[in-house]
Amino acid sequence: MKVGFLGLGNMGTPMALRLLVAGHELSVWNRSEERTKPLVREGAIAAATPAEAELGSDAVITMLLDDAAYEEVLFGVHRLIDVLSPGVLHILCGTISMAVGERLTVEHANRGIDLVGAPVFGSASDAKDGRLWILAAGADKAVDRARPLLEVFSRGITVVGKEPHQAYAMKLACGNRS
């Protein structure tokens, strides 16, 4: 599958590496460009912008730092929300607030973009070993599309609802332990 991966921090990098090893075609972007270099050495394509990472992708996975990073990438300077193609799958693995989760749920639905909320539990070493635990929420068909990608870096997926923002509610209720 062709995947755009945005956010190559301590968790995102090992998650993206596992996708490469599993044979997925990866286009990667990070706010600090030097974070893409280890993945490029392994076969990923470096994207200059989030929109370039999404171009032609079947799915986009985001593992950004926090609400501010999601606001910047999706609604701020990069305006990724305006270039996501209808029908593309957006898997949001970061931990975000309920307010941002609800906004993203509505904005994606209004644009015909499948969104799966998929925050993770675990450490960077768990990500490297494919042992993250994932809470997933979204429409059944979107979760089904996301599952083969999520399984690459997880030991289990718990589906917690049909609305993407429900995954963030559950993650926040369980405590931010990742």
Side-chain angles (χ1 to χ4, degrees), residues 21 25 32 83-84 105 129 133 137 141-142 146 150:
V21 169
E25 184 181 335
S32 45
V83 298
L84 286 171
T105 296
D129 295 338
W133 195 271
K141 71 179 179 75
L150 296 172

Side-chain angles (χ1 to χ4, degrees), residues 1 3-7 50 54 57-64 69-71 73-75 80-82 84-94 96 100-101 104-105 107-109 111-119 137-139 142-143 145-146 149-150 164 168:
M1 187 178 297
V3 179
F5 199 105
L6 314 177
E54 186 270 348
S57 291
D58 303 302
V60 173
I61 298 174
T62 52
M63 188 61 177
L64 304 174
Y70 278 96
E71 290 283 349
V73 169
L74 284 146
F75 304 110
L80 181 62
I81 195 73
D82 292 333
L84 286 171
S85 305
V88 75
L89 173 64
H90 180 189
I91 304 169
L92 199 154
C93 291
I96 57 174
V100 173
L104 289 170
T105 296
E107 293 286 344
H108 282 71
R111 289 170 166 80
I113 301 161
D114 287 337
L115 174 64
V116 172
V143 172
R145 287 176 61 201
L149 295 170
L150 296 172
Y168 310 112

Side-chain angles (χ1 to χ4, degrees), residues 22-137:
H24 296 284
E25 184 181 335
L26 223 56
S27 181
V28 296
W29 176 86
N30 196 72
R31 288 184 291 177
S32 45
E33 186 181 342
E34 68 274 0
R35 299 292 306 222
T36 65
K37 291 179 181 166
L39 289 147
V40 169
R41 283 194 293 274
E42 297 298 322
I45 299 164
T49 66
E52 189 177 300
E54 186 270 348
L55 192 62
S57 291
D58 303 302
V60 173
I61 298 174
T62 52
M63 188 61 177
L64 304 174
L65 181 62
D66 56 17
D67 283 1
Y70 278 96
E71 290 283 349
E72 175 188 327
V73 169
L74 284 146
F75 304 110
V77 64
H78 299 290
R79 301 280 320 154
L80 181 62
I81 195 73
D82 292 333
V83 298
L84 286 171
S85 305
V88 75
L89 173 64
H90 180 189
I91 304 169
L92 199 154
C93 291
T95 300
I96 57 174
S97 69
M98 280 301 301
V100 173
E102 289 170 349
R103 179 179 183 195
L104 289 170
T105 296
V106 169
E107 293 286 344
H108 282 71
N110 288 343
R111 289 170 166 80
I113 301 161
D114 287 337
L115 174 64
V116 172
V120 302
F121 285 97
S123 65
S125 64
D126 292 329
K128 180 182 176 193
D129 295 338
R131 301 210 25 90
L132 294 172
W133 195 271
I134 299 171
L135 299 176

